[in-house]
Amino acid sequence: MKKRKNYAGILLPVLMGIALGLAMAAMIEDDADILQMLLGLLVVLASLVLQTAIHEAGHLVGGLLSGYRFTSFRIFDLMLVKDAGGKLRLRRL
């Protein structure tokens, strides 16, 4: 039996990229300056980091409430790790 590909994981980022491109084109059309576009991009990136942190914190809280012990908390390539001595260390993957 042939395995079907999952296109949902590819489609959402592509659609988001198209929407961001259209929004930036609309800003250029309305004579927005480059500083406004860069500020908008910075806000989008900051909100992505914040949303990821909140999402991962939800996993952490759920795990702690269900009896798991804390070992690590990861956002992108930064990881907060509890070492053998019980100290928290910030590591990069």
Side-chain angles (χ1 to χ4, degrees):
M1 180 181 266
K2 198 172 187 180
K3 192 173 182 180
R4 298 177 85 187
K5 289 187 178 183
N6 183 6
Y7 292 107
I10 297 170
L11 187 60
L12 184 61
V14 169
L15 291 176
M16 288 175 61
I18 291 170
L20 183 60
L22 288 172
M24 293 187 100
M27 290 174 68
I28 292 171
E29 180 83 16
D30 291 337
D31 295 328
D33 63 10
I34 191 74
L35 187 60
Q36 286 178 331
M37 288 193 310
L38 291 176
L39 183 61
L41 184 60
L42 184 64
V43 167
V44 168
L45 292 175
S47 65
L48 175 67
V49 171
L50 181 62
Q51 185 215 356
T52 303
I54 291 170
H55 175 88
E56 293 302 324
H59 289 290
L60 174 64
V61 170
L64 293 174
L65 289 175
S66 62
Y68 285 89
R69 290 177 292 158
F70 175 80
T71 56
S72 66
F73 182 79
R74 179 177 167 191
I75 300 174
F76 300 116
D77 65 343
L78 292 177
M79 184 184 291
L80 187 62
V81 180
K82 189 175 189 179
D83 66 9
K87 290 187 177 184
L88 295 177
R89 302 201 185 272
L90 189 61
R91 304 250 168 119
R92 227 178 133 182
L93 292 177

